[in-house]
Amino acid sequence: MTATSANTQVSEQDVVLRRLAVGLLDYRDRLAAPGRDVVPYPANLQGALDSISLLALRTGTPAPASVVELLEWSEQPLGMWPTVLVDPDSDAADEALLWFGEPQEVCLELGAARGDVVADARESKIITAVRDLCRAAGAPESYVSFRRFLIEHPVVDVLALERAKAARELFRLASHLQASYEAPLPEWVSGGSVETCGTCGSVLHVRSRQGDRICVDPLCSHKTRGGARFAPSETLVLRREMQKYVGGPGRAEVRLAEQLGRLRVPNDLWPDFDAYDLRVFSDSPWAVDVKAWRHPTLLAAHLDARPPARPKDAAEMFIVIADEVAKGGYVGTLRAWQEGSAWDGITVISQRKFIEKVKQRISLGGGR
């Protein structure tokens, strides 16, 4: 994949790869919808096959013979494809778009510009309804409690969910909380129980044929240790779309808030009903947008398409890159792309460096 900037033309391979990612996400949405036919395939998936075939013809390399074969290719690292769509030295070359049929983080990041489909997934009907209800009731604390519960409970037993629905800050959102969960799928049951990921707490997907267990959260590692076990009949799992667009990304936001709390720094999660991720400090507050994207060039393209704006009441705004991804030249790559962009002027910083900056402000007497 070519690392582009706002003033650099996107390569043909980039365009094809992004269209393929969108097509794979459309295809997975169709599979998940009850009563929907898989054929004809989504237009973006079929169009990506046609474009890859043309690229293969021009370069004299093999092409996938069908959409089914293209789906098989998508389970392999991009750098191993016969038709070259990424630079072998790029940060995406070692990653596959799909893992046992599930879109992975690189696929989600590539497809983040698919317009109303992704917007509808990220701002799902449930989240939108919860936001509207809490805003009408003047209850921002209920919105924060709802969102935090989903992040901290990707798997929950039925009794614990009932207790949460009766809690003071969540009782008005009981039906939406219930709708955010579903019964575990058969492939999540092994040895008569549902096992959670020992790293993030999400459910493990068991592949009986291979004997592999993988975390359903694409932001988590595929090589994971087991965690707690639950009885399937007494267990609910966060719905797929809620896990991918609320639960998984929210872990980095909550971790940063907890880190600030240990420093006794005032902070608010999702202020103004999720206008941004964190407000830090009460006086001359800092606005923080936490990002855990694994690929800086894909994040940069996303920020080009949806540039964040500094809130009027914020003295400064930061894009904070979560510790688990802020490695190597990640921040430098993002800053290089930022020059001359619509989001130029916002401070791009790693989580570790941001905490150092917070400590520095405290030491200068600005810790309120």
Side-chain angles (χ1 to χ4, degrees):
M1 194 181 319
T2 304
T4 60
S5 69
N7 301 315
T8 304
Q9 185 176 4
V10 177
S11 72
E12 181 182 4
Q13 285 85 350
D14 278 331
V15 173
V16 173
L17 189 56
R18 291 175 191 278
R19 188 176 190 188
L20 173 58
V22 172
L24 292 172
L25 293 172
D26 290 345
Y27 179 70
R28 183 60 184 85
D29 287 345
R30 185 175 292 184
L31 285 178
R36 294 288 296 275
D37 293 328
V38 173
V39 180
Y41 293 109
N44 280 310
L45 186 57
Q46 186 64 57
L49 172 63
D50 297 340
S51 297
I52 292 170
S53 298
L54 286 174
L55 279 173
L57 183 63
R58 290 205 301 269
T59 57
T61 55
S66 64
V67 167
V68 172
E69 188 171 357
L70 179 57
L71 293 172
E72 293 173 354
W73 280 29
S74 298
E75 298 272 355
Q76 303 300 317
L78 287 163
M80 295 177 58
W81 285 32
T83 303
V84 177
L85 293 184
V86 299
D87 185 325
D89 297 324
S90 75
D91 49 9
D94 295 331
E95 299 202 42
L97 296 170
L98 301 178
W99 182 265
F100 295 124
E102 280 295 314
Q104 295 306 288
E105 187 64 12
V106 64
C107 186
L108 295 171
E109 292 177 3
L110 280 163
R114 71 172 170 159
D116 59 345
V117 178
V118 165
D120 188 54
R122 294 195 173 191
E123 301 296 335
S124 68
K125 292 179 180 178
I126 294 173
I127 289 293
T128 301
V130 167
R131 183 188 295 115
D132 291 346
L133 185 60
C134 292
R135 182 180 283 116
E141 70 284 353
S142 291
Y143 178 78
V144 171
S145 295
F146 180 88
R147 200 173 181 99
R148 188 157 187 161
F149 185 90
L150 300 188
I151 293 165
E152 295 177 345
H153 299 84
V155 180
V156 65
D157 67 72
V158 173
L159 183 58
L161 184 62
E162 289 300 318
R163 285 197 297 264
K165 286 158 58 177
R168 181 178 60 84
E169 292 183 350
L170 290 172
F171 76 90
R172 62 166 58 87
L173 306 173
S175 63
H176 300 296
L177 198 59
Q178 184 72 48
S180 299
Y181 289 87
E182 62 185 349
L185 298 175
E187 57 264 36
W188 296 345
V189 179
S190 177
S193 63
V194 174
E195 187 173 11
T196 60
C197 171
T199 302
C200 73
S202 301
V203 68
L204 291 182
H205 183 168
V206 182
R207 299 291 297 191
S208 57
R209 187 180 69 229
Q210 294 86 355
D212 294 331
R213 300 179 306 169
I214 61 171
C215 181
V216 299
D217 186 345
L219 286 171
C220 194
S221 171
H222 293 149
K223 297 178 180 179
T224 186
R225 57 190 175 87
R229 287 184 173 272
F230 294 83
S233 62
E234 301 171 3
T235 304
L236 293 171
V237 177
L238 198 59
R239 288 187 177 276
R240 183 178 62 91
E241 67 274 15
M242 304 298 281
Q243 176 64 29
K244 287 183 177 178
Y245 297 108
V246 178
R251 289 201 306 273
E253 299 159 6
V254 169
R255 282 200 308 270
L256 180 56
E258 291 175 344
Q259 197 172 6
L260 292 166
R262 288 192 292 271
L263 294 173
R264 298 185 179 180
V265 174
N267 69 91
D268 298 304
L269 278 164
W270 313 297
D272 303 324
F273 299 97
D274 206 17
Y276 50 98
D277 294 333
L278 269 167
R279 180 189 287 120
V280 183
F281 297 113
S282 301
D283 297 339
S284 299
W286 290 351
V288 173
D289 192 1
V290 183
K291 298 297 184 186
W293 292 51
R294 294 226 300 262
H295 304 286
T297 55
L298 300 182
L299 172 57
H302 172 72
L303 292 170
D304 280 347
R306 297 176 178 83
R310 180 170 64 87
K312 292 181 180 179
D313 67 337
E316 192 171 351
M317 185 168 189
F318 297 84
I319 294 174
V320 175
I321 307 303
D323 282 339
E324 59 264 39
V325 297
K327 301 172 183 176
Y330 191 114
V331 171
T333 298
L334 204 56
R335 286 174 177 168
W337 188 304
Q338 184 184 24
E339 294 180 11
S341 71
W343 44 286
D344 203 352
I346 296 174
T347 302
V348 177
I349 192 170
S350 69
Q351 182 176 339
R352 181 176 63 83
K353 291 290 187 182
F354 178 74
I355 291 297
E356 290 178 5
K357 197 172 181 70
V358 168
K359 290 179 179 178
Q360 183 180 29
R361 176 169 166 174
I362 294 172
S363 69
L364 295 174
R368 290 186 299 170

